[in-house]
Amino acid sequence: AFLVPYFLMLIFAGIPLMFLEMSFGQYASQGVISLWNAVPCMRGIGIGILIAMTLAKVPYMMITAYCFYYLFASFKKKLPWVGCHNDWNTVYCSELLKECLNHSSLIVANGSCVLPNSITSSELRDYGVQELSLGNYDFSNYTDPFDGQRVPL
């Protein structure tokens, strides 16, 4: 549905106006602003064209900059967007659980990684962690509060 009006405007307006402006500018040897000063009733068209081109090029340049950023970033050994320690990650990132358990910690309901000795014994029971002796804990029955919601990398 979008292509029909696009091609109609391209054929009946875009290409003829581009050809008119290029041939008129080449004949007069002038730029887009001073070119339209030759026709007194069309003096604002050059400035309007310049503003429209600027507004169209800014988003295009941003997209191009993002493409170059990700192109060169993809050559690094560790990609910048891999892992859970980025600003855009949530508590549902699967690497957080692995890192937390590797440091003998557990993830609580607010998503933070805490040491077992910093929470109460009733909270430890709720998460399925048993205190074996002073400072030693059994994580074999640990239940992740975000189980089933974690997003794999």
Side-chain angles (χ1 to χ4, degrees):
F2 170 74
L3 293 176
V4 173
Y6 174 79
F7 282 115
L8 286 174
M9 288 303 296
L10 181 68
I11 292 169
F12 292 114
I15 293 175
L17 286 174
M18 181 194 71
F19 182 72
L20 169 77
E21 190 175 329
M22 281 179 28
S23 58
F24 191 32
Q26 189 174 10
Y27 175 76
S29 298
Q30 293 180 348
V32 69
I33 294 177
S34 58
L35 173 72
W36 288 101
N37 287 337
V39 183
C41 66
M42 304 279 186
R43 286 195 179 165
I45 290 180
I47 295 172
I49 290 172
L50 185 68
I51 291 171
M53 286 190 312
T54 304
L55 291 176
K57 286 182 181 180
V58 169
Y60 176 74
M61 288 296 127
M62 289 301 299
I63 292 169
T64 306
Y66 276 123
C67 290
F68 278 118
Y69 170 74
Y70 286 112
L71 173 71
F72 291 117
S74 66
F75 291 117
K76 292 183 180 179
K77 234 176 205 184
K78 184 179 184 299
L79 297 174
W81 51 85
V82 172
C84 290
H85 300 290
N86 300 310
D87 295 336
W88 58 82
N89 290 119
T90 64
V91 295
Y92 304 115
C93 191
S94 62
E95 290 292 315
L96 288 176
L97 178 65
K98 294 175 192 171
E99 291 175 10
C100 198
L101 291 175
N102 285 342
H103 290 94
S104 298
S105 300
L106 56 114
I107 294 183
V108 292
N110 67 359
S112 60
C113 187
V114 297
L115 292 170
N117 58 4
S118 63
I119 58 176
T120 64
S121 58
S122 64
E123 288 177 316
L124 285 173
R125 278 194 305 275
D126 291 342
Y127 292 118
V129 177
Q130 293 178 337
E131 186 174 3
L132 301 175
S133 62
L134 189 63
N136 293 325
Y137 297 91
D138 179 23
F139 290 98
S140 60
N141 294 327
Y142 171 66
T143 56
D144 181 16
F146 301 107
D147 191 32
Q149 298 173 323
R150 293 230 176 256
V151 178
L153 292 178

